[in-house]
Every structure is written in C-alpha cells, then in structure tokens.
C-alpha cells in the first residue's frame, strides 16, 4: 500500500474541489466526453489494444506496489543459503514452496534441478529484459496520456469558442458559453497533472526497485548454487543497498 | 487489421463531431486549404518527393499491419527445420514456394543455394539495416507533419485575426470572423493529435515488431543451415519472446 | 533541381497569399524591418560573419542539390576500375580529367600518383570530417534562424501592443493598430515554418546523401588501388544502397 | 553559508514585493492552497514519502553547503600522509578522531585496519555511487516541483476563470475576480523560478563538488596506504584542481 | 574584435528602438528592476558568487575574442620547430619569451626543461580539461539567464495585471496600466534574444576554436620535442584545419 500516492491523490483532488466552490458547476458531460474519449481514442491509435486493456491494472500498481523490501529479500535469500548449506541444495525444493515471488521460486527451482549456472543466468537475465521492456511500455503509456489529455482539452476549448463566437446574439450567454469552453482545457490539465504524469513518475520508481530486487535474486541464486557461505551471500547482496540501509554488521565487515 | 487504430480513429472523430453540434459550421474551405496545403507544402520542402508520394501507403500500414505473429513465425521456421532434417536442405526449395514473407523465402533460398553462412548473414543484415532506415523515415515524416500542422494552424489564425482587426466597421461580424480565424488552429490541432502523432507512435511499434521478426528469421535460417535439431531451433527462437508468450514446454526445457 | 522544394515553397506561399485576400494589407515596412532585421542581427551575434555571408548560397543548395545519383556514381567508379584493369592505373589520369566531382577526381589522382593507401584513406577521411562539420554548421544556422524569427515576431508584437495600449484615445484606431502589432508574429511564424525549418530538414537530408556518396568514393578508390576486379568493386559499392535500388544482378550474386 | 543563494533569494523576493505595491492584495488563501497543496500532492504521487519528508533538509543544503574547500581537503590528506610516514599508518587512528567528514575518517579507518586496497576501493566507490544517486534524487525532486507548480497555477486560474465567467451578473466584480484567478498562475511561476528551479541548479553544482571531494579522498587514501611520499600524494590530488587554484609550487614541479 | 557581434548588437537594438517610436515611453524603472533584478537574483541562487562576478568579463569575450588564427599559430609553432632544429631545443627559452599565449609558452618551457613527454602531455591535457569546463560554465551561465529573463518578464506582467484588474475604477487608466504590465515581458524577451541566447551561442563557437588551438599546441610541442622536421610539424598541424584553409603546399604533399 503506497500511502504517498493515496494521500497525494486525495489531497490534490480535495483542494481542486474546494477551489471549485460548487463542483457541480464544473461537470459538463459533452466536455468530459471529448477530453476523456479523445484522449482514450488517440491512445488506442498509438498503442496496441492489449496495452490499453491492461492500463488500469498497471495504474493500480502505483497504489499497491508488489515488490518486497530489499532487506526482507536479503533475509529470505540468506535463509535459502543456510538451508542449502545445512540440508543440501535439494532441500530448497520444499523451502521455496510457499514463496510468493515467482521469479525467486522459479530461479531456485532451476538451481534445484541442477541446471547449469550459465543457463540459469541466461534464462533469468532474459526474463529480466522482458520485465524491463514491459515496465517501459507501461510508463510510456501514461506519459503519452499526459501529453494527449491537454491536447484534447485544447481541441475541446477551440470547438467551444468557435461555437460561441459564431452565435453571439445573446450577450448574456457569452460568459457561460466561454466557461463551458474552458472546462475541457481544465479537464485535460487535471488529467495530465494529477492522474497521468505523476503516476508515470511513480511507476518509473517502482520499476527501478523491482529490477534491483530481481538483480539481487539472480546474484543470490548464483551465489547459492556455487555453494557460497551464507555470510558471503549476505555480503554480496548488501552491496546493492545504500550503506545506511544495509543489515547491521555488513558495512565494514572484512571477509 | 489493427482494430485499436480503427476504433481509436472512429471514436475520436465521432466525439469531435458530436462536440461540434453542427459540424457543417466548422467547414471553411479557405481555412482547410491553408492548413492542409501549407502543412503539405512545408513537408515537401523538408522531404524528398518520393517520401511524400509514399506517405499514404505508409499511413495505411498503421491500420493493416503486415507482420505475422511471432509464435506463427516460430512454427513456420521450425517446420522448415523439420523438412530440412527429414528430406535434406534442398527440399526447402519447394517448401518455401508459397511463402508470402519475401525476407524469409529469400533467406531460405540463399541457404538452399549453398551460399556461405557469413555471406547470408551479411546480405540479410544489410537488408535489415535498410528496412530500419526506411521505417525511421516513415515515422519522422509523420512526426514532422505533427509539428507542421499546428504551426500552419497558427499562421492561418494570425492571417484571420489581422483581416478581422483591420476591418471592424461591422461589430456583428467580429464574432463570426474570429470563429473562422480560430478554425485553422482547430484543424491543425486535430490533424496533429488524431492523424499524425498517434500514427507515428503506432508505426514505431510496428517497426520494432517487424525488425524483431526479421531478427528471428535470420537466427532461424542460420540455425537451419548449420543443421541444428528442430527442437534447438525452436529454443533459440523462443528466447526472442517474453517467457509468458513462448510456445508450451519451452520455458524451462533444459537441453 | 529539387522539384519538391520548389513545389512546396510555391504552394505554401500561394496558399498564404490567397488566405490574405488583399496581401498588400499585410505589408508593413517597420514590422518587416524589426522581424527580418532583428533575426538577422541576432544571428550575426550568434555566428561568425563568414557563416552569415555564405547563408544564401547554402540556402540555394536546398533547391539545386549537387550530388549525383548513387547508381550513376557506381557506374562511374566501376568505369574507372575497368580502365585501370585494362590500361593500368596511370590511364586514370586522363580518364578523370573531365570529372566534375572534385572529391572523386582528387582521390583518383592520389591513387595515380602512387600515394600509399593509408595516406589516401587519411587524406580523404579528414576532408570528409570537415565536409560533415561544414554541413552541420549550415543546418544549425537555419535552425537558429527558425528559433530567432518567432522570438523577434513576439518582440515586435509586444512593442506594437505597448504603443497601442499607451494611446487608446481613438477607439477606431485600436483594431488596425492591433492588426499591425500581430503582423510581426505572423512574419516570424512564416519565416520559421516556410523558409528556415523545412530548409534545415532538407539540408540535413542532402548532407547525409553527400556523405554517403563520399564514403562510396573512398571505398571505390581503395578498391581500385588494390587492383580489385571491376565486378568486386561494383559489389562492394552496391552494399551502400538499399537492395531495391541496386544495379541489376547485384543482390544475389555470389562471388 | 552560501552568500549567493541568500542574497539571490532576498533580492528576488524583495523586488517582487516592491513591484506588488500592496503585497497584501496578492495574498489569497484558497489560491495558495490549490497551488502549494496541489504541487505538494502531485509530488507525493510521483515520489516516495521519504523523499518528500527529506525535501526541506535538502533545500537547506543550497544555503549551507557542507563540503570543505578542495585546497583544505588536500592539506588534511597530506597531513595524514605525513603522520603515516613519520609514525606509521596506525597513528592515523588517533589522527582522524576529530575528523568531521565521515567519508574521510571511515576510509582512513579501513586503511588503518589493514583492509586490502581493492576492498577499500570497492567499499568507498560503492558508497560514492549511492551518494550520487541520492543527490540525483534530490535534484530531480526540485525539478519536478518546478514543473508541477506552474501546472497547478494554471489549473487554479482555469477554475477561477470558469467561476467568474459563469457568474457575470455584476460587471464591477469581473476585474477583481479575474485578478484572483491570475494569482495562482503568479504563485506557480514564483515558486518555480525563485524556489525550485534555481535551487535544483545549485544542488547540482554542490553535488558535483562533493563527488569531486570524495574522489580526491579515495585517491588520497589509496596513495597513503601504498606508502606514497606526502609530496606525491599532494601532486596526485592537485591534478583534481584547476591549475590556477592549486597549492603553490604544484603546477610546474617535475618529479 | 568580433565585427559580427558588434554589428548584430547595434543593428538589433537600433531596429527595436526605431519600432518603439518614442523609446522613452518604454522605460519604466520598477519594471526594469523586477526583470533585471529578478533574473540576476535567480541566477545568484543557481550559481556560485564567483561565476556571477566574472560574467561581465566573459560577456566581453563575445566581442573581443582572444584566440589567434589557426594559420598564424601554425606559423609560430613551425618557427619554434625551426629554431629547435637549428639551435637546439634550449634556444626556445629565449624564443618564446615575448609569446603572449601562456598555454603555448608554458608548454614550450616544459619541453625546454627536459620534462618527460608523458608528463608534458598529462599537464597540458589536464589544463585543457579545466579550460573546457570553465568555458562550459560560462555558456551555461548565459543560457540560464536566457531562460530566467522571460520567466521574470512573465512574473512582472502577472503582477501588473493583477494590480490593474484589482482597480479598474478609472477606465481611461486600463490601457496605460496594461501597457506597463506588458513592458516586463518585452524586457525579458529582449534580454533573452538579444543579449543572452546569441551570446551563449557565440561563446560556444569561440570555446571550440580555442580548444582546437590548444590541441594544435599540444600536438606541436610533442612533435618539436621528439625532434620532428619542421615540415613534418607543419603537416601534422595542418590536419587540424579544413583542406581549403591549410597553408599552401600542404594539401597534397606526400612525405
């Protein structure tokens, strides 16, 4: 649960609603249609259908990140290393049964099966490459939405202005017509700056964290398979963390 | 047939037309002429005539992509590998006769002719380089159009504003004149954000897919020619796919 | 003669003039002075005097490209190779006498003089480096103009607005004054989007073509000097072209 | 104490307040809420909570930089080198006790403990990598704020304009309502151009200085440990400085 | 004396003053204060005090470049090479006494002192690195000013608009108030497009020229020290120039 994303979204939306005084005056269905629908349509032109369908589940990731903490991950892998040392590498088969992280358990199983180190490395690195590519697609999807929304906001405003200017017989209607015309620009701007742009930034961050975790898993499995001492495994993994967040006793421990 | 491009284009245009209420009020021939013609003219200055003439057929590619699915392609190549194993490499001559993909059949024919592996590699890689360059030219063409259209939209609006401001004797005409002046900005914005920019993005995506397919073909032909077992050929090609979309039984199969 | 540049320029200007209805109403000498003169002045500050003086002749290049077609060039070089084979390399002295391309004839003369291959390579590559740098300077010159022109257009409009707003005693004069103020923005936009930006793009394209041609010449001369068979020379050069535009019989010819 | 940051901030704010004539007329609580709160909220969505909480302490760094002058640092390290030469490397244990720079004292302690040079290098380089990453996070945080603030300024202005245009019954209220609507754009612009953008630039500068200092420390410790003459240590470190700011006698001293 | 910079600056300013008709109407002290002072203040926040103090002397460099012509430089270095050949390398001590270029005379003195070639190379290359860094700092300083000036121009205009809109009791004052409000945007735009942006471009150009000259000096000194024939020295240096600007007899001279 990412509290920052939730607080940020709630605070931002609340403040915008407060500024609107009577939020209902800001709701205009045709305006919503052209901005939301136009943005969605242009995104469909630019992306494959599958990306579009999966967008919501990627969006949720910015609220509920799935990656475990690096320190917990080190604990888990060092635990596996200890089991492998004490009971032999085959004992990991049962040890990793309840493991939720499919990348970790898949990697451990490869090691248990006696797959050659080079091949394990190859299989896991290839998967990592595809994970990275998938993340990049997700981030670019929201970045594109963040560019498209203000563009369709402006298209909506231009359409509204042309309609208003073409029919100015009733001076009293000019103000409200112009207000409606400006609504689409407002919608586009809110969509980009509250929903798409910051989410793309948070997803970039989570992608970096998940890739770091996967790199640690690869390093850990290779180390376990080559029969390293659990202390060595822990040391090798702690190098991935900033000195201040390493497990106690790691920073200046010589070998 | 790319359903996403079609749905996206239809939805976006429909929503814009709905927002216009009376779309006919938004049609102004001189305005269309300066934006569409100016954008086309500036693109002609910037690009060679041949790129300009071929633009429409490239545009259509975003609706009707030609590349086969990677999994189908693997099936085909593995099929060739099996034929070569069973009946000898010369049997591929007839096998690839009905093949639509000219890159694949051309490559297979090189192998059948007994061309040296290095030379096949060289010929196919060179062709791939030119395919990539041609794709890049297409994408840049539409990206340039996406920049030019709003620029000529603004030029049209400025011309309209100067005309209107220079002759304000009839106050009732100011509104409609200004509406017409704004039309060009609207046209430019729609052209860029519905027709040029998202199409450039989709073409970029297809280019990446086609190049991946061609890389798989090169790898496959080299593998067939060196007499690899069809299972090995399949394994080598499946590495190009994300683990989740690989043919069954490929992901954890040792050798 | 680049027909695309000519058609593009004529079409664009004609359409803008048509949109203006009475083009004479769009001519304002002080406005032209501040935009054209300011853009020129700022470019003079940013660039050396020599670049500024040579700009017009570079501009003309976008209309009258000097580079020969790659296929013609291959024909010429293969012709030289045949002469060298039949009559000895010294016979090239007379053969290249009428040659217009100074880079080609200069390179051939170096070979005739018996200069060492490494030195020929070095001399021609160095010259190529400077040709590239010169082209880049030309492209950047027009790109800068394309940035400066709208900036001075806006400066002119701001000056006009301040003048108009400071003296609004005659309401009837407001419209025409504002029209004049907007003229500079219009000029700047036309200059950038018709004359500078697309020309910079076309020059970039020609630069790439000319450098490709020079690379082919270097490859060809090295090949002739090492006594290669004319067929081999042709094959080596055809690799620089896309498979579809290669001379007949080149694509699948084994050696 | 960074006098430039302090003078710059005071001068800029003073001049803006002077231009406002009656600054109190520029204070509008709801406007402040939407711009400041919206910017903060969007930043929370985009960044982890910890970055957000630490922002103020990073901000202060632009006023009170912690890094010592490179020349002082050279003096200190050369002092350590002299102590090590005269009294043996173990004497550095007491020598570096009062040392404030934790990176320097930590590194010296590693050398005193007899850690192998490669491992010291590794430990210090790893820490340096994380320091660089942390700095980059800080700079990007303020750069993002500098992009977000004007965006929420515009959102606030659009909300204000829609409210004003929807209710134009009292013509006398139009001016003041529009003034309030523009306030948010002004706030966003001031936040970006006085508080966020220049601070990000100064932090980038300090980051480069601190990383240079840490590189000098690593070089110095490696040199001390390998038993180099203090003069050699000084020479090796002075290469990090521009010739004009090197300690006297260093620039042209041959060895 | 850079005539282009001077002509450009004079022409641009003259044309702007002409367009202003009565330039005195464009002078408003508070507006100047907020734009010039705000830009200066924000630059102080972003840069160290020393950069700010040295800005004027860097600015002057765009008018009075210090670098000698490359052809003159070749003449000088070849002259040193001849002296060294005829009278021995020690004779250069007196030869370079009147030399104004400190980099050249310093390098020659290192050679006279019998410093090892590697060390000379090292010392001169290090100094070159710092020269490059210093130039980059100067260019970035003016680029930042070019970004800041329009930002503070807009802040000033927003302040002016809010003041005007908050007090519209006297309709006759609206025009002039708005004129004053727009002045700051005009100032910011002129500062950026006449004084900062083109100067940054010219400084970039001079930086490249000066670095080329210094590279030629390093090459020349290394060549003299290794006892090369003056003709060889000249040939080695002429490679740095474009073929057309090389000294006569250099282009096609074999060795």
């Amino acid at each position: 649960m990412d509290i920052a994303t939730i607080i940020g979204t709630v605070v931002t939306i609340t403040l915008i609603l407060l500024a609107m005084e009577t939020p209902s005056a800001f709701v205009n269905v045709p305006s919503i249609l052209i901005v939301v629908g136009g943005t969605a349509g242009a995104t469909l032109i630019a992306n494959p259908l599958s990306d579009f369908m999966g967008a919501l589940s990627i969006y949720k990731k910015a609220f509920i990140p799935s990656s475990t903490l690096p320190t917990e991950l080190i604990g888990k892998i060092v635990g596996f290393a200890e089991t492998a040392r004490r009971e032999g590498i085959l004992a990991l088969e049962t040890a990793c049964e309840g493991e939720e992280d499919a990348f970790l358990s898949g990697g451990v199983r490869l090691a248990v099966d006696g797959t050659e180190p080079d091949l394990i490395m190859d299989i896991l690195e290839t998967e990592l490459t595809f994970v990275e590519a998938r993340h990049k697609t997700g981030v670019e999807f929201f970045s594109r939405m963040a560019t498209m929304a203000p563009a369709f906001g402006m298209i909506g405003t231009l359409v509204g202005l042309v309609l208003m200017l073409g029919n100015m017989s009733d001076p009293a209607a000019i103000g409200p017509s112009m207000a409606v015309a400006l609504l689409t620009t407002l919608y586009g701007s809110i969509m980009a700056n509250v929903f798409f742009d910051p989410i793309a930034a948070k997803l970039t961050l989570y992608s970096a964290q998940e890739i770091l975790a996967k790199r640690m898993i690869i390093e850990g499995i290779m180390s376990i398979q080559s029969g390293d001492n659990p202390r060595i495994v822990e040391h090798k993994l702690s190098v991935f963390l900033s000195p201040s967040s390493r497990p106690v006793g790691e920073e200046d421990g010589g070998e």
Side-chain angles (χ1 to χ4, degrees), chain A:
Chain A
M1 209 60 168
D2 185 325
I3 298 180
T5 310
I6 297 168
I7 297 179
T9 307
V10 170
V11 164
T12 312
I13 293 177
T14 308
L15 286 170
I16 293 175
L17 290 177
L18 280 178
M20 285 174 172
E21 292 173 16
T22 48
S24 62
F26 286 79
V27 177
N28 183 278
V29 177
S31 302
I32 292 174
L33 270 178
I34 192 171
V35 185
V36 176
T39 305
T43 312
L44 260 174
I45 304 177
N47 294 277
L49 195 59
S50 56
D51 281 15
F52 191 82
M53 301 315 252
L56 204 69
S57 77
I58 293 172
Y59 191 83
K60 276 196 311 204
K61 275 201 182 171
F63 288 84
I64 310 160
S66 61
S67 63
T68 38
L69 283 175
T71 43
E72 285 177 27
L73 188 63
I74 292 184
K76 251 192 228 175
I77 297 174
V78 169
F80 286 151
E82 279 161 359
T83 307
R85 263 257 151 151
R86 258 185 289 111
E87 313 170 30
I89 202 164
L90 294 182
L92 290 179
E93 179 118 46
T94 43
C96 75
E97 223 142 64
E99 179 51 48
E100 280 179 4
D101 186 328
F103 190 82
L104 175 56
S105 63
V108 168
R109 216 161 287 136
L110 282 169
V112 169
D113 291 353
T115 320
E116 294 214 2
D118 282 5
L119 189 56
I120 299 186
M121 191 77 168
D122 216 50
I123 292 172
L124 296 181
E125 284 286 351
T126 303
E127 190 161 342
L128 188 54
T129 309
F130 284 104
V131 168
E132 268 188 280
R134 188 152 39 81
H135 287 176
K136 205 168 148 252
T137 302
V139 168
E140 281 174 0
F141 186 88
F142 287 105
S143 296
R144 180 175 307 284
M145 300 276 278
T147 319
M148 286 298 176
F152 280 90
M154 200 184 95
I155 289 177
T157 295
L158 285 167
V159 169
L161 285 177
V162 170
L163 282 176
M164 180 199 90
L165 290 164
N167 177 17
M168 303 213 302
S169 51
D170 176 11
I174 293 177
S177 300
M178 189 138 172
V180 170
L182 282 181
L183 275 183
T184 54
T185 295
L186 176 61
Y187 293 162
S189 196
I190 291 176
M191 282 163 72
N193 293 297
V194 181
F195 295 102
F196 301 143
D197 207 52
I199 290 294
K202 181 74 59 98
L203 289 173
T204 304
L205 186 85
Y206 283 151
S207 170
Q209 286 177 356
E210 198 178 323
I211 283 159
L212 183 82
K214 289 208 178 351
R215 287 213 178 288
M216 288 170 70
I217 289 174
I218 296 178
E219 179 82 24
I221 288 172
M222 302 317 286
S223 187
I224 289 176
Q225 208 202 26
S226 69
D228 280 351
N229 183 312
R231 276 237 56 198
I232 304 284
V233 173
E234 185 173 10
H235 180 79
K236 279 187 178 170
L237 297 184
S238 70
V239 169
F240 285 87
L241 304 188
S242 87
S244 63
S245 60
R246 284 179 198 165
V248 181
E250 254 319 293
E251 193 171 347
D252 48 19
E255 278 161 65

